[in-house]
Amino acid sequence: MLLEVRELSVAYGKAVALENVSLEVRAGEFVAVLGPNGAGKSTLLKAISRAQPSSGTLRFRGESLQPLPAHAVVGKGICHCPEGRRLFPELTVIKNLMLGAWLRSDRAAVEADLDQVHRLFPVLKERGAQVVGTLSGGQQQMVAIGRALMGRPALLLLDEPSVGIAHRLKVEIFDAIKRIQANGTAILMAEQDAQSALRVADRVYVLEHGQVGRSGSSAELGSDDYIRQAYLGVN
Ligand code: ATP
């Protein structure tokens, strides 16, 4: 077991955003959290990366994350690629990517990881000297994923990687995420696009109003009548 979340709750003042959420991610697994706007998906990922205080159990490789500050969670092998990308638009592609490796001193391995990011997203090599603010939305998302990979995560948290991106680039990005998994990185991805999530993930949890409802393999949920009607638009 890589990540274990038990009875996780988050409140913003009086508003409950997550209520007793339990889920798990095994080593090398690709897990998606599906749910509509405001369901609590971003809050869940922020709680796991300790950017958001929470109550309940968070264990990574058996060790509690709750006592740790966010930067220590990165050191444990969890990198978060947040919604809205949070890049530095005035800095170049290469500088943004290297910011993902700021905690690391293993220079040769950092170079090898940069090569891997360039193989995943060749356009980032071509555009290395370009300032990020002038890239397309899809290319910026590639930089954001690449920056998270530069932390060499065992678990990559991805918050809605396809939001606001043209269909062609979306397919490219999801295929790249599958290749990241094939290279041995586990993935926990929040996503609203049910069709894409069910296509690429091994297992899916459905989050609605801060609580986990259905969960199961992508094949199981893809043939579930409720999921087909509510998320896939099939009558
Ligand atoms: P989206 O897909 O729209 O990003 P989400 O599933 O990621 O939605 P969250 O962003 O986690 O949902 O939000 C869950 C709930 O918590 C929402 O009702 C939201 O308005 C609320 N919320 C999120 N962040 C804050 C905050 N900083 N302060 C107060 N309420 C918040």
Side-chain angles (χ1 to χ4, degrees):
M1 186 75 64
L2 196 61
L3 176 76
E4 198 184 340
V5 176
R6 292 276 167 264
E7 312 260 297
L8 193 78
S9 297
V10 172
Y12 297 110
K14 285 188 180 159
V16 176
L18 288 183
E19 197 177 357
N20 293 327
V21 168
S22 297
L23 59 82
E24 54 207 36
V25 181
R26 299 177 199 119
E29 205 179 17
F30 189 162
V31 176
V33 177
L34 205 60
N37 275 119
K41 303 180 297 298
S42 299
T43 300
L44 172 66
L45 299 188
K46 285 181 200 160
I48 294 167
S49 63
R50 299 282 302 125
Q52 169 65 47
S54 60
S55 65
T57 303
L58 282 176
R59 285 188 187 283
F60 187 65
R61 294 176 164 140
E63 181 188 355
S64 176
L65 298 177
Q66 287 289 22
L68 302 180
H71 68 85
V73 172
V74 179
K76 295 286 174 194
I78 300 179
C79 294
H80 187 175
C81 182
E83 197 178 13
R85 307 181 190 116
R86 304 276 169 78
L87 298 169
F88 292 91
E90 72 287 1
L91 296 183
T92 61
V93 168
I94 188 75
K95 283 197 170 143
N96 271 276
L97 289 176
M98 292 308 287
L99 281 170
W102 67 280
L103 277 175
R104 299 175 58 185
S105 52
D106 48 343
R107 297 207 160 269
V110 168
E111 283 301 319
D113 288 344
L114 184 61
D115 280 347
Q116 197 204 334
V117 169
H118 284 156
R119 278 196 300 276
L120 271 176
F121 301 118
V123 69
L124 300 188
K125 188 166 189 181
E126 290 159 28
R127 305 289 178 107
Q130 189 171 333
V131 294
V132 155
T134 59
L135 295 177
S136 75
Q139 291 165 342
Q140 291 191 24
Q141 185 58 265
M142 293 173 188
V143 178
I145 295 170
R147 182 180 59 179
L149 286 178
M150 291 304 293
R152 192 170 267 209
L155 174 64
L156 178 63
L157 306 177
L158 288 173
D159 199 346
E160 302 215 23
S162 78
V163 78
I165 289 173
H167 180 74
R168 188 180 52 80
L169 275 183
K170 206 161 150 170
V171 171
E172 198 178 314
I173 284 174
F174 280 120
D175 287 349
I177 298 169
K178 280 301 275 181
R179 275 185 281 143
I180 293 168
Q181 179 198 17
N183 289 338
T185 306
I187 291 160
L188 181 61
M189 174 181 82
E191 186 53 62
Q192 276 192 53
D193 176 347
Q195 204 158 10
S196 297
L198 290 167
R199 179 173 71 83
V200 293
D202 301 320
R203 284 193 306 119
V204 177
Y205 292 87
V206 180
L207 192 64
E208 290 177 338
H209 307 294
Q211 297 181 318
V212 172
R214 283 166 165 73
S215 64
S217 69
S218 295
E220 280 161 3
L221 290 194
S223 53
D224 179 299
D225 283 342
Y226 170 75
I227 299 296
R228 287 165 64 81
Q229 283 169 22
Y231 289 91
L232 297 172
V234 180
N235 289 313

